[in-house]
Amino acid sequence: HLDALKDIRKMMQRSSRFISLSGLSGIAAGIWALIGAYLAYNWIGEYYDVFTRGGYTNENFHSLKWNLFLLAGGVAGLALISALYFTWRRAGKNKLPLWDHTTKQLVINTAIPMVAGGIFIIAMLQYSEWRFVAPACLIFYGLGLVNGSKYTLSDIRYLGFLEILLGLINTQFIGYGLYFWALGFGVLHIIYGFVMWWKYERNPTVEN
């Protein structure tokens, strides 16, 4: 009877939550984020070297903006590809569908705060307001994770809370956004990914 109840519980979980998220995708995303932060740090440093030597031009500034924009897009793209690959691989091992109604709900509920945040950030950039871009990225990303957590493993909610908290702290330390990005999108993702892997993938028989 206990085995039957466990089987029923697993079926109910699988029908209401997407449980194929892989901790390895979190680790990969964190690594890409740290690499991106390292490159951005070097580019910003080179820009300020030119600025202090009196070689500053508007062309230098616009070039830096576009390079950082493309770098952010590249990091996000690599993180997304890594997440899809590791999630697809785990879903295959568990013989579960990668895309179904629950996955759709997870994507929609996660995307709503992130898309709203992206539009808000673009508006800030439109008016050359850079100071709160980094905090806004962390806060809206965290809100997306919290909003989507009810459709997947509950652990992701705590990552969302930490991202929101980190973004709020960053509002009081303007000028250190790159460090907070590296901590939020890099270090926290790696820690979260390792915890997820340890709990659910190291021993595949363990279910949340």
Side-chain angles (χ1 to χ4, degrees):
H1 295 294
L2 290 176
D3 291 338
L5 289 174
K6 289 180 180 179
D7 290 337
I8 293 172
R9 177 174 177 267
K10 290 179 181 179
M11 287 188 292
M12 291 177 64
Q13 287 177 336
R14 290 176 178 177
S15 65
S16 62
R17 294 187 302 163
F18 183 72
I19 61 174
S20 294
L21 287 180
S22 173
L24 296 178
S25 64
I27 295 174
I31 292 173
W32 292 125
L34 290 178
I35 293 173
Y38 174 77
L39 293 174
Y41 179 83
N42 287 335
W43 293 350
I44 294 172
E46 291 174 2
Y47 168 79
Y48 278 108
D49 284 342
V50 173
F51 182 83
T52 54
R53 292 199 303 268
Y56 168 81
T57 64
N58 285 332
E59 184 179 349
N60 296 130
F61 182 63
H62 289 304
S63 177
L64 175 65
K65 286 198 299 184
W66 275 108
N67 287 338
L68 292 176
F69 179 78
L70 293 174
L71 178 63
V75 169
L78 289 170
L80 180 61
I81 292 172
S82 301
L84 290 174
Y85 170 73
F86 287 115
T87 300
W88 167 78
R89 193 177 71 166
R90 189 178 180 202
K93 287 182 178 180
N94 294 334
K95 298 180 180 180
L96 296 172
L98 182 61
W99 183 262
D100 56 15
H101 175 72
T102 304
T103 313
K104 181 180 178 180
Q105 293 300 314
L106 170 62
V107 171
I108 291 174
N109 282 271
T110 303
I112 290 173
M114 291 187 185
V115 172
I119 295 173
F120 177 73
I121 290 167
I122 291 173
M124 285 197 294
L125 296 178
Q126 181 182 356
Y127 294 101
S128 299
E129 177 54 72
W130 289 82
R131 292 175 298 174
F132 293 101
V133 168
C137 288
L138 292 166
I139 291 170
F140 281 103
Y141 177 65
L143 289 172
L145 295 181
V146 172
N147 199 47
S149 63
K150 56 182 172 289
Y151 294 102
T152 186
L153 300 174
S154 59
D155 305 70
I156 200 171
R157 181 183 300 115
Y158 304 109
L159 175 62
F161 289 149
L162 290 174
E163 298 285 358
I164 294 170
L165 177 61
L166 198 61
L168 293 174
I169 295 173
N170 189 191
T171 61
Q172 303 304 308
F173 295 93
I174 300 301
Y176 294 90
L178 186 59
Y179 298 100
F180 280 88
W181 270 1
L183 181 57
F185 295 119
V187 176
L188 283 184
H189 267 137
I190 292 174
I191 295 173
Y192 154 80
F194 179 77
V195 171
M196 292 286 287
W197 176 85
W198 186 268
K199 288 180 65 175
Y200 304 116
E201 296 173 70
R202 181 177 63 96
N203 181 3
T205 62
V206 176
E207 296 286 346
N208 186 38

